[in-house]
Amino acid sequence: MDSNARVEKFISDTKSRLSAGKKRLPPGTLPFVTITSQSGAGGNLLARQLLEKIEQCDSDNPALQGWRIFDKSMCQQVLTREHLETSMNDMLDEKYHSQIAEFVMGIFGDQGMQNIAYVRLSRFLRTVASLGKVIILGHGGAMSTRGLAGANHLRLVAPLPARVARMAPVLNMDEAQTLREIQQRDRDRQRLWKTHYQIDSSDPEHYDLVCNTDRISIDTVANFQLSLILDQIGERHAQPA
């Protein structure tokens, strides 16, 4: 399934979930997670492991049902296809759309045409997060969803040699090529935050949790993040079956 189809399915499934619910909760009351990661620090793996652990929880709490990952490739589709944002418009009431618009303009202000795509993406990500039960991977998710109730903002870091060792077999490159690729990706991500959000993505104050995955395993990070989610929804004992 290509990225565009995945976004369309994400939207369709979200609409179905909301339609099936007996009552819509106010925006921002369900938990969600944003993952910001240095290249090679394990963001994709963490998202998958966290989703698996949530799905395995021994609980019938609706806040643990129907979680999805919204990843970087899906964000790219939103950047290039305006109709995807429109598809989300009926999921929140008009009053909250206005609040989202005010928040997004507070980030971007009147900075000109170059930010139009990211204004649209930021609005889309905030809508997705407001509906809850989503893991947003990359593309400034932490900044776009700042201030929402239910947020869990997580950043992964690791020493450069460890990231090179992890990424070389994935990229099918030698160590020197992998090093250059990782450094370029890190620069691109830092530039994105600086250009579009005017902040430093490495500043720990933007996150609830910063983990070094060379010292703490991805599985341990996923377990800890799950425990934070369970605490949020009052299900402290609902560990994976």
Side-chain angles (χ1 to χ4, degrees):
M1 184 184 298
D2 64 25
S3 297
N4 191 51
R6 289 170 62 208
V7 181
E8 299 280 11
K9 187 175 187 303
F10 180 94
I11 294 171
S12 175
D13 289 349
T14 303
K15 287 182 177 180
S16 297
R17 172 166 58 85
L18 293 177
S19 298
K22 295 181 179 179
K23 182 178 179 182
R24 287 280 304 280
L25 295 175
T29 59
L30 287 172
F32 67 92
V33 177
T34 69
I35 299 176
T36 304
S37 175
Q38 289 182 323
S39 183
N44 285 280
L45 180 57
L46 174 62
R48 294 195 301 271
Q49 288 197 9
L50 177 58
L51 180 62
E52 290 175 4
K53 290 178 183 295
I54 293 172
E55 291 175 338
Q56 293 167 4
C57 280
D58 184 19
S59 171
D60 58 1
N61 190 321
L64 294 173
Q65 312 301 317
W67 276 72
R68 304 294 296 277
I69 295 173
F70 198 89
D71 65 18
K72 301 170 191 176
S73 64
M74 296 164 77
C75 287
Q76 287 291 344
Q77 295 301 319
V78 176
L79 284 171
T80 58
R81 288 171 170 78
E82 295 185 21
H83 78 278
L84 295 174
E85 181 194 356
T86 304
S87 298
M88 296 289 286
N89 284 343
D90 62 349
M91 295 193 193
L92 293 175
D93 61 39
E94 197 62 38
K95 177 181 178 181
Y96 199 67
H97 280 303
S98 298
Q99 294 174 7
I100 288 177
E102 290 176 7
F103 174 85
V104 171
M105 288 310 297
I107 295 176
F108 293 98
D110 185 20
Q111 297 179 41
M113 297 294 289
Q114 71 272 19
N115 279 331
I116 286 179
Y118 273 91
V119 168
R120 191 168 73 247
L121 176 61
S122 187
R123 184 182 295 116
F124 187 94
L125 290 180
R126 195 166 178 84
T127 300
V128 166
S130 297
L131 298 169
K133 301 193 293 187
V134 64
I135 302 167
I136 300 174
L137 185 58
H139 271 304
M143 186 61 185
S144 298
T145 61
R146 184 179 60 184
L148 283 178
N152 295 268
H153 299 307
L154 175 62
R155 176 171 171 80
L156 301 184
V157 299
L160 193 53
R163 293 190 282 139
V164 169
R166 178 180 286 151
M167 288 295 290
V170 175
L171 297 175
N172 194 27
M173 296 178 178
D174 62 32
E175 289 191 359
Q177 291 173 314
T178 303
L179 174 61
R180 289 193 294 270
E181 178 67 20
I182 285 176
Q183 290 175 327
Q184 183 60 54
R185 291 186 183 189
D186 284 345
R187 285 193 295 268
D188 289 344
R189 291 172 184 176
Q190 291 170 354
R191 188 180 304 113
L192 183 151
W193 281 63
K194 283 286 187 182
T195 300
H196 300 291
Y197 303 111
Q198 292 77 56
I199 60 175
D200 181 1
S201 61
S202 65
D203 187 342
E205 292 188 5
H206 300 310
Y207 310 99
D208 301 304
L209 182 66
V210 179
C211 294
N212 182 336
T213 57
D214 188 44
R215 302 178 64 181
I216 305 173
S217 72
I218 297 293
D219 187 67
T220 298
V221 177
N223 283 330
F224 187 64
Q225 181 60 72
L226 175 62
S227 70
L228 295 178
I229 294 171
L230 295 178
D231 188 65
Q232 281 180 311
I233 63 174
E235 291 279 351
R236 294 177 180 83
H237 304 295
Q239 295 297 325

